[in-house]
Amino acid sequence: MLSEFLFLSYIRITAVVCLYWLVSIVTVFVNKTLLSSKEIDLDAPIFIVWYQCVVSVLICTSLKGLSVWFPDRIRLPSSAPFSQKVILNVLPLSILFTSMIGFNTLCLKYVGISFYYIGRSLTTVFNVIFTFFILRETVSCKAIACCAVIVTGFWMGVDQESVAGSLSTAGIFYGLLASMSLALYSIYTRKVLPSIGDHIWLLSYYVNIYSSIIFLPVMYFTGDLETFFNYKSIFQLRFWLLMTIGGLCGFSIGYVTSLQIRETSPLTHNVSGTAKACAQTVIATYWYDESKSWLWWLSNFIVLGGSAGYTSVKNKEMQLKYLSSKTIPL
């Protein structure tokens, strides 16, 4: 019985990890198609990410409605997205969320999928910096050394993109802003979640509602609304189908990420995400028939190694902190 239980647990965990890989990689490729393909040919990245926020809100609203009809199967917390308490707590986080997904989208528009991971690889470095200055938490020398490795791999990758003639300054700029926004979003999420009962679904619902509103004036000033209304394929079913698939992927990636963390651990999630990034890079170079130098590949492995090392260091530090906090009975 024990061996059967362990086997089923292994199968379940493997299925969850595979699902995370599949959804994450498909999401990147679908978004890249929407942003850069000549067939779609819509130069309105902010509109695309806004539509995905709207799809996420509609999914959350639908789930909320189904929970009323099927309370035994779907249990969701009560929500009041426009109450004063929620606005004060969640609106600042929503601004960071809007910046994060907006800059992520712009980064993906200007760089290839094979370089996408490198372009956003400084998230760990910014996370360490902001943790020190905002949370006032000390950072170990080992963690700083891992960050130095990541920065080295990042600059090597940028240099190799420049040598190959495929470097996008705008893509690097937006990648840095995306990394900063993601680091800040992760830190402030830890502060905001307790105010809404640690409900991840509720947080996703709120930030997507607010982001859908915040993006409206942004789309006006960037000209994305005008571009969209003059779009030649605005009434084509295939375009809206692909846009909706992108929205479903955007919602799904949040769910499968939480699912993988719950079924495994934060450490395993980080290791899985690092390995997924490696697989995603390999798939992208094959899919788009890209030829890369060995120094370019070395830069990727340096970043992956630094990220994996940082994850291992932080895991050991957390274990030591936990053990030291336990009282030893006399």
Side-chain angles (χ1 to χ4, degrees), residues 42-259:
L42 175 62
D43 188 18
I46 303 301
F47 172 81
I48 291 173
V49 73
W50 170 81
Y51 182 81
Q52 294 182 357
C53 287
V54 172
V55 171
S56 294
V57 171
L58 292 176
I59 292 174
C60 290
T61 304
S62 300
L63 290 174
K64 187 64 180 175
L66 290 173
S67 68
V68 176
W69 291 96
F70 306 99
D72 295 333
R73 294 179 177 272
I74 304 176
R75 298 179 182 179
L76 298 176
S78 58
S79 59
F82 298 107
S83 66
Q84 183 178 2
K85 179 182 177 181
V86 172
I87 292 175
L88 291 175
N89 288 327
V90 181
L91 182 58
L93 184 67
S94 300
I95 295 174
L96 289 175
F97 177 79
T98 304
S99 301
M100 178 186 69
I101 60 176
F103 290 134
N104 265 328
T105 302
L106 289 170
C107 176
L108 183 59
K109 176 179 175 61
Y110 290 104
V111 303
I113 294 178
S114 58
F115 189 72
Y116 183 53
Y117 174 69
I118 297 293
R120 297 163 53 253
S121 61
L122 296 187
T123 300
T124 300
V125 178
F126 285 117
N127 189 61
V128 169
I129 294 173
F130 294 141
T131 297
F132 178 78
F133 286 104
I134 296 176
L135 300 181
R136 301 295 181 183
E137 295 181 5
T138 58
V139 181
S140 67
C141 293
K142 291 182 179 179
I144 295 175
C146 291
C147 289
V149 172
I150 295 173
V151 172
T152 301
F154 170 79
W155 283 116
M156 183 182 293
V158 171
D159 177 69
Q160 290 303 300
E161 284 287 297
S162 178
V163 170
S166 55
L167 178 66
S168 169
T169 304
I172 297 297
F173 176 70
Y174 289 128
L176 289 173
L177 292 178
S179 298
M180 291 176 60
S181 301
L182 177 56
L184 285 171
Y185 179 76
S186 300
I187 290 173
Y188 280 98
T189 296
R190 291 163 56 184
K191 291 186 174 183
V192 172
L193 266 176
S195 68
I196 55 173
D198 288 322
H199 292 296
I200 297 176
W201 173 87
L202 203 57
L203 182 64
S204 176
Y205 179 47
Y206 288 156
V207 296
N208 276 288
I209 286 179
Y210 293 151
S211 293
S212 300
I213 298 172
I214 295 170
F215 271 129
L216 290 175
V218 175
M219 286 191 294
Y220 175 78
F221 287 111
T222 58
D224 281 40
L225 282 177
E226 182 180 357
T227 300
F228 169 71
F229 286 122
N230 292 323
Y231 181 50
K232 61 183 180 181
S233 303
I234 190 172
F235 296 112
Q236 288 189 3
L237 178 62
R238 184 180 181 279
F239 166 71
W240 287 110
L241 180 61
L242 191 58
M243 286 280 287
T244 303
I245 290 174
L248 292 173
C249 287
F251 174 81
S252 300
I253 189 62
Y255 174 77
V256 296
T257 297
S258 301
L259 181 64

Side-chain angles (χ1 to χ4, degrees), residues 117 146 150 267 270-271 274 302-313:
Y117 174 69
C146 291
I150 295 173
L267 174 62
N270 289 333
V271 173
T274 301
I302 289 175
V303 172
L304 290 168
S307 301
Y310 177 81
T311 300
S312 177
V313 167

